[in-house]
């Protein structure tokens, strides 16, 4: 009785080692849910999720490498939203509507046919605010709940 209890407590005494596989599983499960819940209109962002990286013992980081030109993570904008966007140097904002319009932003791409206003792009005084979907916030809660359940199961298996 007492020897078994001491043996079980020693296993739990090193939580980093004991729960590393549980936390790794939670990180990979979270990654798949993030890929699924990333807004569909942003397929590049959904493909930019990276495999969980081990930061320390029982510590994994799931990240997304897509960023704006100013270095702001796009997933942060999708999750939290953004305010109104106004032009800085021009009178109007260039807003691409098609892939051809988006390519105009890439200086390296040679333009064979001119862009058509209203089809490939529009010019606007401002871009309205975006409220965000809170998909990251929701996933963090789901991941925390799932990981808690798995850790409790593992403790019960060790002691049980």
């Amino acid at each position: 009785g007492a020897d078994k209890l001491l043996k079980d407590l020693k296993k739990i005494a090193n939580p980093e080692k004991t729960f590393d596989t549980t936390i790794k599983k939670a990180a990979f499960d979270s990654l798949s849910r993030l890929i699924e819940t990333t807004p569909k209109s942003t397929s590049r962002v959904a493909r930019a999720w990276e495999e969980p990286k081990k930061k320390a013992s029982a510590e994994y980081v799931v990240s997304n490498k897509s960023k704006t030109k100013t270095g702001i993570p796009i997933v942060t904008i999708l999750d939290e939203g953004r305010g109104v966007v106004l032009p800085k140097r021009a009178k109007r904002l260039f807003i691409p509507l098609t892939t051809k319009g988006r390519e105009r932003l890439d200086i390296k791409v040679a333009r064979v046919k001119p862009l058509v206003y209203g089809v490939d792009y529009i010019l606007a005084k401002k871009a309205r605010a975006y409220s965000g979907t809170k998909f990251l916030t929701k996933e963090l809660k789901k991941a925390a709940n799932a990981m808690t359940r798995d850790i409790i199961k593992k403790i019960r298996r060790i002691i049980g």
Side-chain angles (χ1 to χ4, degrees), residues 15-92:
E16 290 87 9
K17 185 178 176 186
T18 306
F19 302 118
D20 186 57
T21 55
T22 306
I23 294 170
K24 183 178 181 179
K25 179 188 173 293
F28 277 93
D29 291 346
S30 190
L31 172 67
S32 62
R33 284 193 303 268
L34 283 168
I35 291 169
E36 288 174 18
T37 58
T38 302
K40 302 299 176 223
S41 61
T42 58
S43 60
R44 279 189 202 157
V45 178
R47 289 191 305 268
W49 287 105
E50 296 178 331
E51 199 169 280
K53 292 181 182 136
K54 190 169 187 170
K55 197 172 176 185
S57 183
E59 189 176 338
Y60 291 84
V61 176
V62 178
S63 60
N64 190 299
K65 61 186 173 202
S66 66
K67 296 186 182 341
T68 63
K69 288 183 179 183
T70 56
I72 299 167
I74 293 174
V75 292
T76 304
I77 296 170
L78 292 172
D79 186 52
E80 298 172 9
R82 61 158 171 76
V84 174
V85 178
L86 300 168
K88 288 185 180 178
R89 291 184 292 252
K91 288 183 181 178
R92 305 268 179 164

Side-chain angles (χ1 to χ4, degrees), residues 101-117:
R102 271 188 234 102
E103 287 173 352
R104 177 218 178 254
L105 299 174
D106 189 7
I107 298 169
K108 299 171 192 163
V109 177
R111 178 70 39 226
V112 178
K113 292 182 181 178
L115 298 175
V116 179
Y117 178 79

Side-chain angles (χ1 to χ4, degrees), residues 87-151:
K88 288 185 180 178
R89 291 184 292 252
K91 288 183 181 178
R92 305 268 179 164
L93 283 174
F94 175 85
I95 302 174
L97 301 174
T98 62
T99 305
K100 194 164 98 173
R102 271 188 234 102
E103 287 173 352
R104 177 218 178 254
L105 299 174
D106 189 7
I107 298 169
K108 299 171 192 163
V109 177
R111 178 70 39 226
V112 178
K113 292 182 181 178
L115 298 175
V116 179
Y117 178 79
V119 176
D120 297 318
Y121 71 97
I122 58 171
L123 298 173
K125 290 182 181 178
K126 63 182 178 179
R128 67 176 189 249
Y130 174 74
S131 62
T133 60
K134 304 292 182 214
F135 78 103
L136 277 177
T137 309
K138 292 172 188 172
E139 176 50 36
L140 280 172
K141 287 180 183 176
K142 284 181 188 175
N145 291 339
M147 193 168 51
T148 303
R149 276 193 310 272
D150 291 347
I151 288 173

